[in-house]
Short mmCIF file of all heavy atoms in Angstrom, two decimals:
data_model
loop_
_atom_site.label_atom_id
_atom_site.label_comp_id
_atom_site.label_asym_id
_atom_site.label_seq_id
_atom_site.Cartn_x
_atom_site.Cartn_y
_atom_site.Cartn_z
N LEU O 306 -0.63 27.02 15.45
CA LEU O 306 -0.05 28.34 15.22
C LEU O 306 -0.51 29.34 16.27
O LEU O 306 0.21 30.30 16.57
CB LEU O 306 -0.43 28.81 13.82
CG LEU O 306 0.31 28.09 12.68
CD1 LEU O 306 -0.29 28.44 11.33
CD2 LEU O 306 1.80 28.43 12.71
N LEU O 307 -1.68 29.16 16.84
CA LEU O 307 -2.11 30.03 17.95
C LEU O 307 -1.22 29.81 19.16
O LEU O 307 -0.86 30.76 19.87
CB LEU O 307 -3.58 29.75 18.29
CG LEU O 307 -4.61 30.23 17.27
CD1 LEU O 307 -6.00 29.71 17.62
CD2 LEU O 307 -4.61 31.76 17.20
N VAL O 308 -0.84 28.56 19.42
CA VAL O 308 0.11 28.27 20.49
C VAL O 308 1.46 28.93 20.19
O VAL O 308 2.10 29.52 21.07
CB VAL O 308 0.28 26.75 20.68
CG1 VAL O 308 1.39 26.46 21.69
CG2 VAL O 308 -1.03 26.12 21.12
N VAL O 309 1.89 28.83 18.94
CA VAL O 309 3.15 29.46 18.52
C VAL O 309 3.08 30.97 18.75
O VAL O 309 4.06 31.59 19.20
CB VAL O 309 3.43 29.14 17.04
CG1 VAL O 309 4.55 30.02 16.50
CG2 VAL O 309 3.77 27.67 16.87
N ALA O 310 1.94 31.57 18.45
CA ALA O 310 1.79 33.01 18.64
C ALA O 310 1.93 33.40 20.10
O ALA O 310 2.56 34.42 20.44
CB ALA O 310 0.43 33.46 18.10
N VAL O 311 1.36 32.61 21.00
CA VAL O 311 1.48 32.89 22.43
C VAL O 311 2.95 32.81 22.88
O VAL O 311 3.43 33.63 23.67
CB VAL O 311 0.61 31.91 23.24
CG1 VAL O 311 0.87 32.08 24.74
CG2 VAL O 311 -0.86 32.13 22.93
N ILE O 312 3.67 31.83 22.34
CA ILE O 312 5.07 31.64 22.71
C ILE O 312 5.93 32.79 22.23
O ILE O 312 6.82 33.28 22.95
CB ILE O 312 5.60 30.30 22.13
CG1 ILE O 312 4.89 29.12 22.79
CG2 ILE O 312 7.12 30.19 22.30
CD1 ILE O 312 5.21 27.79 22.15
N ALA O 313 5.66 33.29 21.03
CA ALA O 313 6.58 34.24 20.39
C ALA O 313 6.10 35.68 20.45
O ALA O 313 6.80 36.57 19.93
CB ALA O 313 6.78 33.84 18.93
N VAL O 314 4.97 35.96 21.07
CA VAL O 314 4.39 37.30 20.98
C VAL O 314 5.34 38.38 21.52
O VAL O 314 5.38 39.50 20.99
CB VAL O 314 3.03 37.35 21.72
CG1 VAL O 314 3.21 37.12 23.22
CG2 VAL O 314 2.31 38.66 21.45
N ARG O 315 6.15 38.08 22.51
CA ARG O 315 7.05 39.08 23.08
C ARG O 315 8.29 39.31 22.22
O ARG O 315 9.02 40.27 22.43
CB ARG O 315 7.47 38.67 24.49
CG ARG O 315 6.31 38.66 25.49
CD ARG O 315 6.80 38.34 26.88
NE ARG O 315 5.71 38.33 27.86
CZ ARG O 315 5.86 38.10 29.16
NH1 ARG O 315 7.08 37.82 29.64
NH2 ARG O 315 4.83 38.13 29.96
N GLN O 316 8.54 38.41 21.29
CA GLN O 316 9.72 38.53 20.45
C GLN O 316 9.46 39.24 19.14
O GLN O 316 10.40 39.50 18.38
CB GLN O 316 10.28 37.12 20.15
CG GLN O 316 10.57 36.28 21.37
CD GLN O 316 10.97 34.87 20.99
OE1 GLN O 316 11.74 34.65 20.06
NE2 GLN O 316 10.43 33.89 21.72
N VAL O 317 8.20 39.54 18.85
CA VAL O 317 7.83 40.14 17.57
C VAL O 317 7.72 41.65 17.73
O VAL O 317 7.12 42.14 18.68
CB VAL O 317 6.50 39.56 17.07
CG1 VAL O 317 6.08 40.22 15.77
CG2 VAL O 317 6.62 38.05 16.89
N PRO O 318 8.32 42.42 16.81
CA PRO O 318 8.22 43.89 16.87
C PRO O 318 6.77 44.35 16.85
O PRO O 318 5.90 43.72 16.24
CB PRO O 318 8.95 44.34 15.61
CG PRO O 318 9.87 43.22 15.26
CD PRO O 318 9.16 41.97 15.69
N ARG O 319 6.54 45.48 17.51
CA ARG O 319 5.17 45.97 17.66
C ARG O 319 4.52 46.25 16.30
O ARG O 319 3.34 45.93 16.09
CB ARG O 319 5.18 47.25 18.50
CG ARG O 319 3.78 47.81 18.77
CD ARG O 319 3.84 49.01 19.67
NE ARG O 319 2.51 49.55 19.91
CZ ARG O 319 2.24 50.63 20.64
NH1 ARG O 319 3.27 51.26 21.23
NH2 ARG O 319 1.02 51.05 20.80
N GLY O 320 5.27 46.83 15.38
CA GLY O 320 4.70 47.13 14.07
C GLY O 320 4.25 45.88 13.34
O GLY O 320 3.20 45.88 12.67
N GLN O 321 5.01 44.81 13.49
CA GLN O 321 4.63 43.55 12.85
C GLN O 321 3.38 42.97 13.50
O GLN O 321 2.53 42.38 12.82
CB GLN O 321 5.80 42.57 12.94
CG GLN O 321 5.70 41.38 11.99
CD GLN O 321 6.96 40.56 11.96
OE1 GLN O 321 8.00 40.98 12.45
NE2 GLN O 321 6.88 39.37 11.38
N LEU O 322 3.27 43.12 14.81
CA LEU O 322 2.07 42.66 15.51
C LEU O 322 0.84 43.42 15.06
O LEU O 322 -0.24 42.83 14.84
CB LEU O 322 2.25 42.83 17.02
CG LEU O 322 3.18 41.85 17.74
CD1 LEU O 322 3.32 42.24 19.20
CD2 LEU O 322 2.65 40.43 17.61
N VAL O 323 0.98 44.72 14.89
CA VAL O 323 -0.15 45.54 14.44
C VAL O 323 -0.58 45.12 13.04
O VAL O 323 -1.78 44.96 12.76
CB VAL O 323 0.22 47.04 14.47
CG1 VAL O 323 -0.89 47.87 13.82
CG2 VAL O 323 0.42 47.49 15.91
N GLY O 324 0.40 44.94 12.15
CA GLY O 324 0.07 44.51 10.79
C GLY O 324 -0.63 43.16 10.78
O GLY O 324 -1.61 42.96 10.05
N GLY O 325 -0.13 42.21 11.58
CA GLY O 325 -0.78 40.91 11.67
C GLY O 325 -2.18 41.01 12.23
O GLY O 325 -3.10 40.31 11.76
N GLY O 326 -2.36 41.89 13.23
CA GLY O 326 -3.69 42.07 13.80
C GLY O 326 -4.68 42.62 12.79
O GLY O 326 -5.84 42.17 12.72
N ILE O 327 -4.24 43.58 11.98
CA ILE O 327 -5.11 44.14 10.94
C ILE O 327 -5.48 43.07 9.92
O ILE O 327 -6.64 42.96 9.49
CB ILE O 327 -4.43 45.34 10.25
CG1 ILE O 327 -4.28 46.51 11.23
CG2 ILE O 327 -5.22 45.78 9.02
CD1 ILE O 327 -3.48 47.67 10.68
N ALA O 328 -4.50 42.26 9.54
CA ALA O 328 -4.77 41.19 8.58
C ALA O 328 -5.78 40.19 9.12
O ALA O 328 -6.68 39.73 8.40
CB ALA O 328 -3.47 40.48 8.21
N ILE O 329 -5.67 39.86 10.41
CA ILE O 329 -6.63 38.93 11.02
C ILE O 329 -8.03 39.55 11.06
O ILE O 329 -9.04 38.87 10.81
CB ILE O 329 -6.17 38.52 12.43
CG1 ILE O 329 -4.92 37.65 12.36
CG2 ILE O 329 -7.28 37.80 13.18
CD1 ILE O 329 -5.14 36.29 11.72
N LEU O 330 -8.11 40.84 11.37
CA LEU O 330 -9.41 41.51 11.40
C LEU O 330 -10.05 41.53 10.02
O LEU O 330 -11.27 41.29 9.89
CB LEU O 330 -9.24 42.94 11.93
CG LEU O 330 -8.96 43.08 13.42
CD1 LEU O 330 -8.70 44.55 13.78
CD2 LEU O 330 -10.11 42.53 14.25
N LEU O 331 -9.26 41.80 8.99
CA LEU O 331 -9.80 41.78 7.63
C LEU O 331 -10.27 40.38 7.26
O LEU O 331 -11.31 40.21 6.61
CB LEU O 331 -8.74 42.26 6.65
CG LEU O 331 -8.35 43.75 6.73
CD1 LEU O 331 -7.18 44.05 5.80
CD2 LEU O 331 -9.54 44.63 6.39
N THR O 332 -9.51 39.37 7.68
CA THR O 332 -9.90 37.99 7.41
C THR O 332 -11.21 37.65 8.12
O THR O 332 -12.11 37.02 7.54
CB THR O 332 -8.80 37.03 7.87
OG1 THR O 332 -7.60 37.31 7.14
CG2 THR O 332 -9.19 35.58 7.63
N GLY O 333 -11.32 38.08 9.37
CA GLY O 333 -12.56 37.83 10.10
C GLY O 333 -13.76 38.51 9.49
O GLY O 333 -14.88 37.97 9.49
N ALA O 334 -13.54 39.72 8.92
CA ALA O 334 -14.64 40.45 8.30
C ALA O 334 -15.19 39.73 7.07
O ALA O 334 -16.34 39.96 6.66
CB ALA O 334 -14.19 41.85 7.91
N SER O 335 -14.39 38.83 6.50
CA SER O 335 -14.86 38.08 5.32
C SER O 335 -15.98 37.11 5.66
O SER O 335 -16.60 36.52 4.76
CB SER O 335 -13.69 37.33 4.68
OG SER O 335 -13.23 36.29 5.52
N LEU O 336 -16.25 36.92 6.95
CA LEU O 336 -17.33 36.03 7.38
C LEU O 336 -18.70 36.71 7.32
O LEU O 336 -19.72 36.08 7.62
CB LEU O 336 -17.08 35.54 8.80
CG LEU O 336 -15.81 34.71 9.02
CD1 LEU O 336 -15.60 34.45 10.51
CD2 LEU O 336 -15.89 33.39 8.26
N ALA O 337 -18.72 37.98 6.93
CA ALA O 337 -19.97 38.74 6.93
C ALA O 337 -21.11 38.07 6.15
O ALA O 337 -22.26 38.06 6.61
CB ALA O 337 -19.71 40.15 6.40
N PRO O 338 -20.85 37.50 4.95
CA PRO O 338 -21.98 36.89 4.22
C PRO O 338 -22.68 35.79 5.00
O PRO O 338 -23.91 35.62 4.87
CB PRO O 338 -21.31 36.32 2.96
CG PRO O 338 -20.06 37.11 2.78
CD PRO O 338 -19.60 37.43 4.17
N PHE O 339 -21.93 35.06 5.82
CA PHE O 339 -22.53 33.95 6.56
C PHE O 339 -23.34 34.45 7.74
O PHE O 339 -24.35 33.86 8.12
CB PHE O 339 -21.44 32.98 7.00
CG PHE O 339 -20.46 32.66 5.90
CD1 PHE O 339 -19.11 32.89 6.06
CD2 PHE O 339 -20.91 32.19 4.68
CE1 PHE O 339 -18.21 32.63 5.04
CE2 PHE O 339 -20.02 31.92 3.65
CZ PHE O 339 -18.68 32.14 3.83
N VAL O 340 -22.90 35.57 8.32
CA VAL O 340 -23.68 36.18 9.40
C VAL O 340 -25.01 36.70 8.84
O VAL O 340 -26.06 36.58 9.48
CB VAL O 340 -22.89 37.33 10.06
CG1 VAL O 340 -23.71 37.97 11.17
CG2 VAL O 340 -21.58 36.81 10.62
#
Side-chain angles (χ1 to χ4, degrees):
L306 287 170
L307 289 171
V308 173
V309 168
V311 173
I312 293 172
V314 65
R315 294 184 180 181
Q316 305 174 43
V317 178
R319 183 176 179 182
Q321 196 171 347
L322 286 175
V323 172
I327 293 173
I329 291 294
L330 287 175
L331 291 174
T332 299
S335 68
L336 299 172
F339 314 123
V340 180

